[in-house]
Amino acid sequence: TYTTNAVDVTVSQSGKTDQMTLELSLSEKQCYVGQPLVMTVKWTSTGRVEDRTLSLDVPVFQSGDFYFEDVSEPAGASSGRQVVLQGVPITIVDGRQLIRGMEANTLSFRKVLIPKQAGHVRIDPLTASANLAVGREPGDFFNPYRYKFQRFSVQSDPVELEVRPLPETGKPPQFYGLLGSYTITASATPTKVNVGDPITLTIRIGGNPYLKPVQWPALEQVPELAANFKIPAEKASPTVEGGAKVFTQTIRANSDKVTQIPAIPLAYFDAAR
């Protein structure tokens, strides 16, 4: 057994400063389970920041309370740069703005949060840390002076969110938690077959930019479909194409009396209505 020597470390609390601010906001303060919300985060600094020293801690990304989706940006919007924070990919947009007569640097990103459960949810403060210039010291022949940096941090305010349960009255049996407005279409090929021949059924669910909560349609729960077709238990993973989640399944007709693949229902709750 080999053992290394111990290494002493010193951990200091970052300083506080009025040269940095961090803002956190949500598009709604009340919502339903499964209703998409847009979280906006903006960091601002009026001081000189040492290159590549900014770090962001976003506790909500590790809370387990939400699904995460990307925000659908309009055409021509700033593309930003892709980074990963606590395992969640985000797009950071750099900017500049005038604050109290001083030019400030800004970094911002937006992310869609989809609540998983009803109840009161507290989104804990975000933390930003960076090295800020606190003075100058002599340099060398080529650089007469250089900046002296010190570590500072700033926190956002917490945000309280009330997540309401969906109403039970009138809930259809096919409903599993989709919120918003969705569309569903189906196609099949070939449509002229012998009994037992494979038919590829393709179902597209779209009409909404947030597709992560969309699940496999419960084909076996459609009575006419279950009675007239053999539906394998194995399911292929869905794909996302052209703004829709696409599900593909092979089915086989049980008899030559079958004339159609029945309509497949999709139940969703329109929170706006």
Side-chain angles (χ1 to χ4, degrees):
T1 300
Y2 297 89
T3 305
T4 70
N5 57 294
V7 178
D8 292 332
V9 298
T10 301
V11 182
S12 303
Q13 184 72 30
S14 298
K16 303 301 179 183
T17 178
D18 59 1
Q19 292 183 306
M20 290 195 304
T21 60
L22 187 61
E23 301 171 20
L24 165 66
S25 62
L26 289 180
S27 57
E28 304 287 343
K29 292 296 182 68
Q30 281 190 338
C31 68
Y32 289 100
V33 173
Q35 181 179 349
L37 310 169
V38 177
M39 178 181 74
T40 302
V41 176
K42 184 178 181 181
W43 170 83
T44 304
S45 173
T46 56
R48 176 181 287 272
V49 179
E50 188 176 12
D51 291 343
R52 296 183 294 276
T53 62
L54 175 64
S55 65
L56 286 171
D57 180 49
V58 186
V60 68
F61 285 164
Q62 298 178 306
S63 69
D65 295 323
F66 301 92
Y67 298 107
F68 302 107
E69 292 272 7
D70 292 329
V71 177
S72 299
E73 300 290 358
S78 177
S79 57
R81 51 192 170 92
Q82 304 293 319
V83 300
V84 177
L85 289 180
Q86 285 84 58
V88 178
I90 63 170
T91 301
I92 288 189
V93 178
D94 298 274
R96 300 183 73 84
Q97 72 179 75
L98 206 61
I99 298 178
R100 299 187 299 274
M102 294 185 293
E103 196 171 53
N105 294 311
T106 64
L107 293 177
S108 61
F109 70 87
R110 300 197 299 162
K111 199 71 178 178
V112 172
L113 275 54
I114 302 176
K116 295 180 180 179
Q117 296 180 343
H120 182 80
V121 179
R122 183 181 189 267
I123 298 181
D124 290 330
L126 280 60
T127 302
S129 301
N131 294 351
L132 293 181
V134 294
R136 296 190 296 187
E137 55 189 11
D140 52 31
F141 178 80
F142 297 100
N143 297 293
Y145 63 86
R146 59 187 177 191
Y147 286 97
K148 182 180 179 182
F149 292 94
Q150 184 178 326
R151 194 73 174 171
F152 293 94
S153 67
V154 65
Q155 282 192 333
S156 68
D157 292 328
V159 174
E160 307 292 335
L161 176 66
E162 196 64 37
V163 182
R164 293 175 287 182
L166 297 174
E168 294 294 327
T169 305
K171 182 186 294 186
Q174 302 90 354
F175 181 75
Y176 58 82
L178 284 185
L179 267 82
S181 180
Y182 289 85
T183 61
I184 182 170
T185 60
S187 60
T189 183
T191 54
K192 186 176 182 180
V193 296
N194 296 317
V195 173
D197 285 352
I199 302 170
T200 300
L201 173 64
T202 301
I203 303 165
R204 299 176 63 90
I205 298 177
N208 194 298
Y210 312 121
L211 300 175
K212 185 172 289 187
V214 175
Q215 300 178 11
W216 249 100
L219 303 180
E220 63 282 353
Q221 294 181 13
V222 181
E224 188 180 347
L225 188 63
N228 295 331
F229 293 87
K230 292 180 180 178
I231 307 170
E234 299 80 15
K235 294 179 172 62
S237 298
T239 60
V240 177
E241 302 171 7
K245 207 164 191 176
V246 182
F247 303 86
T248 305
Q249 179 67 292
T250 298
I251 60 176
R252 301 171 189 265
N254 290 331
S255 75
D256 59 359
K257 305 299 183 185
V258 177
T259 60
Q260 69 174 10
I261 298 171
I264 299 166
L266 176 69
Y268 58 86
F269 180 82
D270 191 342
R273 296 175 59 187

